[in-house]
Amino acid sequence: MPELPEVETVRRGLQPVMEGARILNAEARRADLRFPFQPDFVARLQGQIVTGLGRRAKYLMADLASGDVLLMHLGMSGSFRVIKPDNEAAPGEFHYPRGKDSTHDHVLFRMSSGADIVFNDPRRFGYMKVIARNALDEEPLLRGLGPEPLGNEFDAAMLARSCAGKTTSLKASLLDQRVVAGLGNIYVCEALHRSHLSPRRIAATLATKKGEPTDHAKRLVGAIHTVLNDAIKAGGSSLRDHRQTSGELGYFQHSFKVYDREGETCKTPGCGGTVKRFTQNGRSTFWCPKCQK
DNA sequence: ACTGTCACCTGAGGGC
DNA sequence: TGCCCTCAGGTGACAG
């Protein structure tokens, strides 16, 4: 499910109940998600104060007073809910209204802020890991991540440098988290459409022979900025799983111009083309052949 | 080093 | 109603 705007929406929902609060009780209700939990996973969380909640690419990172960082990834179907604990329950016991998919409630936190936080992930492609902050640089999951698309260092020149010489498609390059970290299938399709660039275009065409950014690269970076910022404002996109932590839906899916719109009319003013779909590197690509070149 | 494919897992939706 | 197929906001582990 979640790409950068959805993860950022989740971060903003969790921040008020996590930051400055203590984890009174943590529980992992199965031995693994995508990876096995570390043997000391719960022990390193229990009793810790969360000093900050940040995001890197599609990862949430909770800083703990101990010097550890809790790294969380939502995979395809992960979501967090913030709920009020049941005061009738025994202290330390998680007792809350169970929805029909509560079998997929895998990780629970009781916070001193008076909130219970529930991580639900039916497909279990998500994962959590506790890492010492001074070892973050060597963390394999984070090493090699490219620039934040909304950060200062990501601009047309940088994108052109990373794409120079690449023989693969623009679509595949933008999905590559080493090139830019945080985009996924939806926002790559949308950014390519907004910049009128074909997903099939060879990535190297974003750079001149000297490695300078082309106008295409500048347009693409502008479109990435716009689409991500607009999506964050909308609370992300809710197709199936994504909910804000309050349970509310995001609403950026109403602003899709191509994603999930196969056979419908292109929304570029004056274009009149028809949105097509094909498979690229095993993922669906949606695009308008008339206005994306 | 680069690029592409597969695997991981569950649930929803469509066709019959 | 049920069964069987395809598809899904990701990405690590491989093969070539």
Side-chain angles (χ1 to χ4, degrees):
Chain A
M1 131 203 156
E3 306 181 32
L4 187 151
E6 290 74 35
V7 178
E8 178 60 23
T9 298
V10 170
R11 191 193 69 78
R12 292 178 185 189
L14 291 180
Q15 192 171 31
V17 295
M18 287 193 89
E19 243 178 49
R22 188 184 296 277
I23 302 173
L24 299 176
N25 195 18
E27 187 176 324
R29 304 182 69 198
R30 49 177 298 128
D32 57 60
L33 291 173
R34 180 169 183 187
F35 308 118
F37 285 106
Q38 299 150 292
D40 57 354
F41 175 77
V42 166
R44 287 168 76 176
L45 299 178
Q46 204 84 20
Q48 286 302 318
I49 290 178
V50 177
T51 57
L53 183 65
R55 179 189 56 74
R56 170 78 172 102
K58 301 174 193 174
Y59 290 90
L60 290 169
M61 303 172 73
D63 286 305
L64 307 179
S66 58
D68 279 337
V69 177
L70 170 61
L71 194 65
M72 300 172 276
H73 196 290
L74 302 175
M76 287 281 268
S77 58
S79 65
F80 282 96
R81 300 201 308 291
V82 173
I83 57 181
K84 283 188 76 82
D86 182 347
N87 290 324
E88 302 298 310
E93 182 190 335
F94 288 101
H95 185 266
Y96 59 93
R98 306 284 162 116
K100 59 178 184 299
D101 65 348
S102 64
T103 53
H104 303 303
D105 289 345
H106 302 309
V107 182
L108 311 172
F109 301 124
R110 172 151 298 163
M111 305 302 299
S112 64
S113 57
D116 277 1
I117 297 170
V118 181
F119 178 70
N120 180 283
D121 184 6
R123 295 179 73 182
R124 304 200 302 276
F125 290 166
Y127 42 94
M128 295 192 191
K129 184 174 181 183
V130 182
I131 304 160
R133 189 177 304 124
N134 60 20
L136 274 184
D137 290 346
E138 295 99 65
E139 171 53 44
L141 292 166
L142 301 176
R143 235 163 50 163
L145 280 181
E148 283 290 318
L150 295 177
N152 290 331
E153 72 281 20
F154 179 69
D155 57 13
M158 168 155 231
L159 181 60
R161 270 198 305 278
S162 340
C163 287
K166 270 188 173 293
T167 58
T168 192
S169 65
L170 220 38
K171 170 83 187 302
S173 298
L174 294 177
L175 280 177
D176 185 340
Q177 302 296 297
R178 295 168 301 184
V179 171
V180 55
L183 299 180
N185 207 31
I186 290 180
Y187 297 105
V188 167
C189 289
E190 292 295 317
L192 286 170
H193 178 264
R194 278 153 222 246
S195 51
H196 305 299
L197 296 174
S198 166
R200 288 193 164 97
R201 173 181 279 275
I202 297 305
T205 66
L206 290 188
T208 66
K209 282 178 186 169
K210 293 180 180 172
E212 303 290 317
T214 62
D215 287 347
H216 293 146
K218 295 172 190 166
R219 246 160 52 197
L220 184 50
V221 167
I224 290 169
H225 285 155
T226 305
V227 75
L228 292 181
N229 282 321
D230 289 354
I232 290 169
K233 277 184 205 149
S237 303
S238 291
L239 293 183
R240 279 162 285 277
D241 302 318
H242 172 63
R243 289 276 192 288
Q244 308 195 32
T245 53
S246 58
E248 283 179 83
L249 298 171
Y251 54 89
F252 191 72
Q253 65 278 12
H254 303 303
S255 301
F256 290 170
K257 295 191 187 297
V258 285
Y259 189 84
D260 217 11
R261 294 192 67 245
E262 182 183 17
E264 297 179 42
T265 304
C266 174
K267 289 197 174 177
T268 298
C271 172
T274 302
V275 175
K276 302 289 184 191
R277 164 190 178 160
F278 70 107
T279 300
Q280 222 174 357
N281 303 95
R283 321 278 314 266
S284 281
T285 295
F286 297 88
W287 71 306
C288 172
K290 191 168 172 198
C291 71
Q292 291 180 252
K293 300 296 179 189

